[in-house]
Amino acid sequence: MSNNSSFYAGTAPGGDTGFRRTWDRDEYLQKAKERAEKGDPRKKDAKSDEPTQLLTQREGHIDFDALVNKTAVVSDAPGEQKQPGFFCAACNIVCKDNINYLDHLNGFKHQRNMGMSMKVERSTAEQVKARIALLTKKRKNPEPELNLAERVKVAVDAEEATKQSKKEDKKKKKEEKIRKEEEADQANKMDPEMAAMMGFSGFGSSKK
């Protein structure tokens, strides 16, 4: 065992290395062996905190055009969602442009906060065979190549379809809002008992 009386016991006085502390190598070697047999609890805790979900492909589509031509109230306070840019709720940060936002979503920090590790699922033999069969089918029956004008036309048509869909959704919301306002006005003009019988008791104000 080591001598606890002094760190400098047994040193040669006046020597060049006499001021250095001495160690009992056998004692610390035994402690290291015992710690290795029992295991380090700090390493166990660190492993338990690591995400175990395998990395998967992103399912949703990120619509960067949703806020185009729209006005929003922003704040210059750090760490707030109303800052100008793209806000990530999982990491509580704001990215200033879409490129940095995509890099953040694909990064290690965001994936870890989402509970995913950077490990991917190992493909099975059946999945590999199915993928090879799909690629072989595409090679035998290739899609017709489009020239520049045709590709531009396809892109324009897709953009027009998206705009039309947004207009229809906006129109439906507006019609629904008008319908609710008309029902509320009708309920205000009706007798309270009659309105309650017709199911309009939740509309209108509390004025008498």
Side-chain angles (χ1 to χ4, degrees):
M1 300 294 291
S2 62
N3 187 4
N4 296 328
S5 61
S6 174
F7 290 143
Y8 310 104
T11 57
D16 293 338
T17 60
F19 62 89
R20 293 183 178 178
R21 179 178 177 180
T22 58
W23 304 88
D24 189 341
R25 295 179 179 271
D26 296 334
E27 177 187 358
Y28 285 96
L29 181 60
Q30 183 64 27
K31 288 183 178 180
K33 290 181 180 180
E34 293 176 358
R35 186 165 56 248
E37 292 176 357
K38 294 180 180 180
D40 193 348
R42 295 173 296 179
K43 292 183 179 180
K44 291 182 180 180
D45 295 340
K47 289 183 179 179
S48 62
D49 295 338
E50 292 182 358
T52 57
Q53 186 176 356
L54 296 176
L55 190 64
T56 57
Q57 184 179 2
R58 187 185 303 112
E59 296 179 355
H61 173 68
I62 304 175
D63 188 7
F64 290 113
D65 299 332
L67 301 178
V68 175
N69 298 327
K70 291 187 178 180
T71 305
V73 179
V74 298
S75 173
D76 58 352
E80 289 192 4
Q81 185 175 357
K82 292 186 177 181
Q83 277 188 294
F86 299 92
F87 179 74
C88 177
C91 305
N92 194 24
I93 64 171
V94 177
C95 300
K96 298 302 181 182
D97 54 65
N98 57 346
I99 298 177
N100 290 332
Y101 184 60
L102 281 177
D103 290 340
H104 168 72
L105 294 181
N106 297 329
F108 174 78
K109 180 181 177 181
H110 177 79
Q111 297 296 335
R112 186 180 181 87
N113 290 338
M114 295 297 291
M116 293 186 181
S117 64
M118 299 305 289
K119 298 179 181 179
V120 296
E121 183 181 2
R122 187 178 179 87
S123 300
T124 61
E126 289 76 11
Q127 292 175 339
V128 174
K129 292 179 181 178
R131 187 64 179 175
I132 293 175
L134 178 62
L135 295 177
T136 304
K137 183 178 179 181
K138 286 185 177 181
R139 186 175 181 180
K140 292 181 178 179
N141 302 317
E143 297 180 357
E145 295 184 1
L146 303 178
N147 55 30
L148 179 58
E150 292 174 342
R151 290 199 300 267
V152 170
K153 185 178 183 302
V154 171
V156 171
D157 292 342
E159 185 177 358
E160 290 295 333
T162 303
K163 289 182 180 180
Q164 186 66 24
S165 177
K166 290 182 179 180
K167 286 182 180 179
E168 292 178 357
D169 293 341
K170 188 175 181 180
K171 184 179 179 181
K172 289 180 180 179
K173 290 181 180 179
K174 187 176 181 179
E175 291 176 353
E176 181 68 17
K177 183 179 179 181
I178 294 174
R179 184 183 64 81
K180 289 183 179 180
E181 290 178 353
E182 291 177 353
E183 290 179 354
D185 293 339
Q186 185 179 2
N188 290 333
K189 295 177 181 178
M190 294 177 60
D191 184 70
E193 295 181 359
M194 183 63 68
M197 292 176 60
M198 297 182 65
F200 296 135
S201 58
F203 298 101
S205 61
S206 59
K207 294 181 180 180
K208 294 182 179 179

